[in-house]
Amino acid sequence: MTENTFFCLSGKRVSLYPFENTELYSSHYLKWMNDKENVKTIGRNDYLLPVSQEKLKEYVQGLDKNKTAFFGIYFSESGISPKEKMQFVGTFKVYDIDFQSRKASFGIMVGERGLWGKGIASEAIQIVSNYCTSTLNCHKLCAGYLETNVGMAKAFKKNGFEVEGILKDHFYDTEKFHNVVLVGKVNK
Ligand SMILES: CC(C)(COP(=O)(O)OP(=O)(O)OC[C@H]1O[C@@H](n2cnc3c(N)ncnc32)[C@H](O)[C@@H]1OP(=O)(O)O)[C@@H](O)C(=O)NCCC(=O)NCCS
């Protein structure tokens, strides 16, 4: 497969590149998806350990390309640089892209736990929100996260997303039930 190294969405310290073989076969992605602290809040019990390279490949190849844009999140503390000088730190999925209702949903993972709290998810949401509204012509952006996920709550709030509903006891993680918070942002 030829990789798309030209398309890139950038902010101040964060860039998003199409998620391709470089990202899929990187040791980082496999490590993050086998890190319980990372996957316990993504709402997918089928990703509880262990996750093989083959399963990740099936997942990425199985994404509906007509409705999904999957990105690798790249970060550089000192500011935007060429891709090879930035660090691959996570993934950003824009899914359920609906051109008729002009909406899309976001799923985010900053897999490098040592970099949590540095504003990476917040900046990535800002960049991708701008892309979705200006290029994909989205009227509405949506997301959902476990109620206990403080980082997600703050990152979406900072980007103008509002809570639209709570799904009670909607996810069971093998220990307890969790409420899921649904948030949305309408482009007025
Ligand atoms: C949730 C997640 C995406 C947040 O990424 P991040 O890059 O650390 O987020 P940000 O740095 O932009 O954080 C936004 C705010 O939340 C705070 N925050 C981040 N993680 C936090 C945590 N675990 N506990 C408390 N506050 C947290 C940040 O300090 C920041 O606060 P501020 O606005 O007062 O400065 C990341 O922790 C992650 O990928 N977790 C595992 C996967 C996951 O849960 N994905 C979401 C599935 S819906």
Side-chain angles (χ1 to χ4, degrees):
M1 180 168 72
T2 309
E3 301 218 345
N4 180 346
T5 51
F6 297 104
F7 183 91
C8 167
L9 302 171
S10 286
K12 290 190 173 130
R13 298 178 305 158
V14 171
S15 288
L16 293 112
Y17 286 89
F19 189 99
E20 311 232 39
N21 280 345
T22 304
E23 290 76 21
L24 173 59
Y25 293 113
S26 79
S27 57
H28 306 286
Y29 187 47
L30 189 62
K31 183 185 80 179
W32 304 334
M33 298 309 285
N34 279 288
D35 179 348
K36 196 159 184 246
E37 282 305 304
N38 270 326
V39 294
K40 73 178 186 186
T41 48
I42 64 172
R44 292 279 303 265
N45 276 339
D46 56 327
Y47 272 86
L48 294 179
L49 315 183
V51 179
S52 67
Q53 182 81 70
E54 193 55 31
K55 183 175 168 73
L56 295 178
K57 183 177 151 198
E58 275 169 26
Y59 168 72
V60 173
Q61 290 184 345
L63 293 172
D64 182 346
K65 293 188 175 53
N66 293 316
K67 295 182 179 172
T68 311
F70 196 35
F71 298 102
I73 303 175
Y74 282 74
F75 174 71
S76 169
E77 190 93 57
S78 59
I80 297 304
S81 309
K83 185 181 183 187
E84 59 277 10
K85 294 201 172 148
M86 295 181 79
Q87 187 182 356
F88 175 42
V89 297
T91 60
F92 200 123
K93 184 170 73 163
V94 184
Y95 65 101
D96 286 348
I97 301 172
D98 177 342
F99 288 106
Q100 187 167 348
S101 294
R102 294 171 52 205
K103 63 183 168 118
S105 298
F106 290 176
I108 306 158
M109 169 180 280
V110 175
E112 288 299 330
R113 282 201 272 129
L115 296 174
W116 284 2
K118 284 183 175 283
I120 296 173
S122 301
E123 189 176 334
I125 292 168
Q126 182 187 29
I127 296 165
V128 179
S129 297
N130 288 342
Y131 169 70
C132 287
T133 50
S134 62
T135 305
L136 300 184
N137 197 27
C138 284
H139 175 66
K140 182 170 184 190
L141 304 172
C142 316
Y145 51 82
L146 303 188
E147 199 170 44
T148 47
N149 197 333
V150 182
M152 274 290 75
K154 284 180 141 187
F156 279 115
K157 191 170 180 198
K158 262 202 264 189
N159 278 289
F161 285 68
E162 293 173 359
V163 175
E164 296 190 333
I166 311 279
L167 303 174
K168 289 190 180 165
D169 281 1
H170 199 67
F171 178 68
Y172 184 76
D173 67 0
T174 72
E175 283 172 18
K176 59 177 183 164
F177 286 101
H178 293 265
N179 292 345
V180 168
V181 181
L182 301 179
V183 291
K185 180 180 179 179
V186 172
N187 185 26
K188 291 174 187 148

